[in-house]
Amino acid sequence: MRFEGKKVLVTGGSRGIGRAVVEGFAREGAEVAFIYNSNKEAAEDVVSTLAGEGHKAVTAHQCDVSDQAQVDALVEKLIDQWDRLDILVNNAGIVKDGLLATMDPANWLAVINTNLNSVFYFCRAVTRPMMSQRAGRIVNMSSVAAEFPNQGQANYAASKGGVQGLTRCMATELGRRGITVNAVAPGFIETDMTVAVRNAAEAEIKKAIPLRRLGKPEDIANATLFLASDEASYITGQILTVDGGLTLGGI
Ligand code: NAP
């Protein structure tokens, strides 16, 4: 069990990629606290499913990751309870697509606040405890859209590009304290977030992917767990693309 006894915090753990990340850590022995925003039922389903498998050290916490006061309060509560935090996964994210010329500024802000500012809030809140532990792993969820955006994704691409810059900068600042900071950049993954685009163009998307399938949440969870594991202890400041070859441009 790679994560026996490790204390892990995952944002957006109630659905999609985050749920697979929570399940992966729990099944490998970790104590996991995960965050959801509004879908309490989905969060409770994660907890009860894992408890049914015997993984009882999994808890769900309501928190809007775009609200710094809520983030600070939750992190403080967890660290008081656990006395440490070994692994942080910043996964929560949203899309609000629209062409730039007509983009509602509220949609720009919502995506930047949820996808990028939240990562800053969580990283800032865990940095001091991790620095005193002289150990820690942070994995941030970016996207291939940071480098290869589709039309209508100005807010999303900017947020995920920001996550990559933040990841690299933090890696330079925290390496001497034994903390690694990396990101995963998923391609097209089968989650609620991609339902609309999959319904519109799934066959076309598959043709553009050398591996000829969409990714599963577990594909991203596997990469995330690897970056959080001891096997990745000499990897920091990296963006690991997990997209079935989508962005190779070879087709
Ligand atoms: P998803 O299925 O839509 O799930 C999103 C998760 O984030 C849910 O648990 C949701 O909680 C939570 N969340 C959203 N806003 C939040 C907020 N303000 N505060 C707290 N939690 C919040 O998304 P996904 O597809 O798994 O995506 C996960 C991450 O991967 C995102 O950062 C996304 O940008 C990135 N990504 C996804 C893909 C893809 O193809 N799916 C590709 C590249 C990158 P509630 O259920 O309570 O709303």
Side-chain angles (χ1 to χ4, degrees):
M1 298 263 249
R2 279 185 298 175
F3 299 102
E4 192 69 53
K6 297 283 187 198
K7 318 288 191 202
V8 181
L9 174 57
V10 180
T11 72
S14 52
R15 293 186 288 118
I17 291 168
R19 177 175 180 143
V21 169
V22 170
E23 290 173 344
F25 278 119
R27 288 170 183 154
E28 294 215 45
E31 280 187 49
V32 189
F34 74 86
I35 288 166
Y36 68 99
N37 187 28
S38 53
N39 194 335
K40 191 173 183 199
E41 206 176 304
E44 286 173 349
D45 187 63
V46 177
V47 174
S48 61
T49 300
L50 287 166
E53 293 175 16
H55 309 298
K56 298 195 190 304
V58 177
T59 52
H61 305 262
Q62 197 284 324
C63 171
D64 179 353
V65 297
S66 67
D67 181 327
Q68 188 173 12
Q70 290 187 34
V71 171
D72 285 346
L74 180 65
V75 170
E76 193 180 335
K77 186 180 93 176
L78 283 174
I79 290 177
D80 273 359
Q81 181 191 316
W82 276 342
D83 212 26
R84 60 183 293 113
L85 178 68
D86 298 297
I87 297 162
L88 166 67
V89 179
N90 284 302
N91 164 78
I94 56 169
V95 283
K96 286 189 184 289
D97 290 356
L99 295 175
L100 185 78
T102 50
M103 183 177 282
D104 183 340
N107 288 346
W108 169 269
L109 282 178
V111 169
I112 297 294
N113 285 337
T114 306
N115 296 7
L116 175 59
N117 290 347
S118 69
V119 181
F120 165 68
Y121 301 150
F122 275 96
C123 288
R124 187 177 182 281
V126 307
T127 292
R128 278 169 193 262
M130 281 186 176
M131 279 167 53
S132 11
Q133 291 164 198
R134 297 203 157 264
R137 291 272 189 280
I138 299 175
V139 184
N140 298 324
M141 208 54 72
S142 182
S143 167
V144 293
E147 284 187 74
F148 303 95
N150 292 315
Q151 288 184 30
Q153 292 195 301
N155 48 3
Y156 187 74
S159 73
K160 295 302 187 180
V163 166
Q164 297 194 3
L166 178 57
T167 298
R168 293 190 178 103
C169 183
M170 284 186 59
T172 68
E173 293 183 16
L174 300 179
R176 78 197 76 155
R177 306 290 186 133
I179 301 165
T180 67
V181 190
N182 292 289
V184 177
F188 271 107
I189 312 303
E190 289 173 356
T191 70
D192 296 343
M193 185 177 274
T194 55
V195 167
V197 65
R198 284 190 279 127
N199 286 344
E202 179 155 346
E204 302 240 316
I205 295 167
K206 281 185 182 162
K207 270 193 223 150
I209 299 173
L211 290 179
R212 291 291 187 271
R213 68 170 177 88
L214 303 183
K216 297 193 176 309
E218 293 71 24
D219 293 316
I220 307 306
N222 289 338
T224 304
L225 267 66
F226 166 67
L227 289 172
S229 72
D230 286 347
E231 287 88 348
S233 63
Y234 201 56
I235 300 174
T236 196
Q238 302 305 305
I239 316 299
L240 178 53
T241 297
V242 184
D243 68 351
L246 172 70
T247 53
L248 292 172
I251 309 260

